[in-house]
Amino acid sequence: MVKLIRSFIAAALAGLVASDLLWQKAEASSNAGDESEAEQFLWPQNQARARLGLAPMAWDPRLVAYATWWASERRATGDCRLAHSGGPYGENIFWGSRGRNWQPADAVWAWLREGQWYDHWSNTCSFGNSCGHYTQIMWRQTTRVGCAEQVCSDGNTFMTCNYYPPGNWVGQRPY
């Protein structure tokens, strides 16, 4: 019974965060032209962290350089296919199909939406779903982030954010 109540509370909290962020995403998208790319990546991630009482992440030029390098490498393949860099940082990646003007907030929203499948008490994702992008953003010890995007020659978009220190350590809870 206690597990059921905990699962319900976790789902309700994730739902509230997700619905509130959806409203803010719509508002942020309408103002996207007014914000720098860094703000478009950073602001929604820090808003989500704040809702859980987590400290904000700082924008890190070293991580931006790394993310820019990796996004450029993906662009060089011509197809922007999803692939992790295998580097020393935590990493979230996003692919958007051609024909749409993908914004940083779209990538961040996709990652944060995974929170609906994360159960904090069992520290697992619901069956058949992934939530590692969400848990990386919410990783308590992560203090810095840097992101980049590239539009490839085929018109698809690749975005990546890198995090330091990296999160998603097996057996540890993000917060």
Side-chain angles (χ1 to χ4, degrees), residues 97-117:
S97 60
R98 69 175 174 242
R100 179 163 174 212
N101 183 23
W102 294 99
Q103 299 297 312
D106 295 315
V108 175
W109 171 243
W111 300 329
L112 289 173
R113 207 172 40 224
E114 293 177 3
Q116 66 186 316
W117 300 309

Side-chain angles (χ1 to χ4, degrees), residues 123 139 167-173:
N123 196 30
W139 202 262
N168 288 341
W169 295 101
V170 175
Q172 295 183 23
R173 284 183 167 74

Side-chain angles (χ1 to χ4, degrees), residues 11-144:
L13 177 60
L16 287 173
V17 169
S19 65
D20 189 39
L21 288 170
L22 177 59
W23 177 81
Q24 289 182 14
K25 176 192 178 284
E27 185 177 80
S29 293
S30 68
N31 297 327
D34 301 336
E35 294 179 310
S36 72
E37 184 175 90
E39 290 169 328
Q40 291 180 51
F41 276 116
L42 186 60
W43 184 83
Q45 294 185 75
N46 280 338
Q47 287 296 308
R49 288 173 63 91
R51 279 172 181 66
L52 293 178
L54 303 172
M57 294 182 288
W59 192 249
D60 186 317
R62 181 176 49 126
L63 295 173
V64 172
Y66 186 85
T68 300
W69 166 79
W70 184 241
S72 296
E73 288 291 309
R74 299 310 324 134
R75 183 172 192 238
T77 67
D79 65 1
C80 284
R81 65 184 167 86
L82 284 177
H84 283 283
S85 68
Y89 307 113
E91 185 171 70
N92 285 348
I93 55 177
F94 172 87
W95 177 87
S97 60
R98 69 175 174 242
R100 179 163 174 212
N101 183 23
W102 294 99
Q103 299 297 312
D106 295 315
V108 175
W109 171 243
W111 300 329
L112 289 173
R113 207 172 40 224
E114 293 177 3
Q116 66 186 316
W117 300 309
Y118 177 67
D119 179 2
H120 180 72
W121 285 276
S122 67
N123 196 30
T124 60
C125 302
S126 62
F127 182 76
N129 293 299
S130 61
C131 57
H133 299 105
Y134 169 78
T135 55
Q136 174 57 78
I137 292 169
M138 299 305 185
W139 202 262
R140 181 181 305 276
Q141 288 79 19
T142 296
T143 58
R144 298 185 311 222

